[in-house]
Amino acid sequence: ENAALLDFVRQSFPYYSESSSNGGKIFLENAGGAQVPESVIRAMNASLSNRHRAHEGSRAKLAARRTLLSILGANADSHYMFLAANATSLLDLLSQSYVRFGSLGKDDQ
């Protein structure tokens, strides 16, 4: 069971696939250097190849939200799924919302 999952993950990430030329090296991730699965590469290629990138991006985000909600056992009728470029961006958006709606003020820490 674990071996099948490991094979699935390796096949999903080109860097870790058996056919990769990485020579069995280990990847130590740092900011801005994450490996992405093949599905992300295809989505990015579709977006960059499409004249109307905003439409492609919106479609991809909607699909990602639905998938994540499904994985978490939730649905869009009763739950919200927020997506952002990274955790810093998401926390920044959240803090701005708190300020905009009056939940935080300039003297709050």
Side-chain angles (χ1 to χ4, degrees):
E1 185 176 302
N2 286 339
L5 178 60
L6 184 57
D7 286 342
F8 171 76
V9 170
R10 283 187 175 147
Q11 291 172 6
S12 297
F13 289 79
Y15 180 85
Y16 301 110
S17 71
E18 300 259 343
S19 62
S20 174
S21 61
N22 71 10
K25 296 175 185 167
I26 296 172
F27 180 78
L28 300 175
E29 199 234 328
N30 65 13
Q35 295 298 316
V36 297
E38 185 67 34
S39 58
V40 171
I41 294 169
R42 284 193 309 268
M44 290 174 64
N45 187 41
S47 175
L48 293 171
S49 300
N50 190 327
R51 182 172 185 266
H52 303 287
R53 289 186 196 164
H55 297 293
E56 185 67 29
S58 295
R59 187 199 59 74
K61 278 201 252 183
L62 180 60
R65 280 189 182 96
R66 287 180 178 155
T67 300
L68 290 169
L69 286 168
S70 175
I71 289 170
L72 296 170
N75 64 60
D77 295 331
S78 58
H79 296 85
Y80 293 101
M81 174 64 61
F82 297 94
L83 300 175
N86 53 48
T88 301
S89 298
L90 194 55
L91 289 171
D92 184 50
L93 288 170
L94 180 64
S95 65
Q96 289 177 32
S97 294
Y98 275 115
V99 170
R100 187 172 44 251
F101 293 112
S103 299
L104 286 176
K106 66 177 185 170
D107 295 328
D108 293 325
Q109 294 184 22

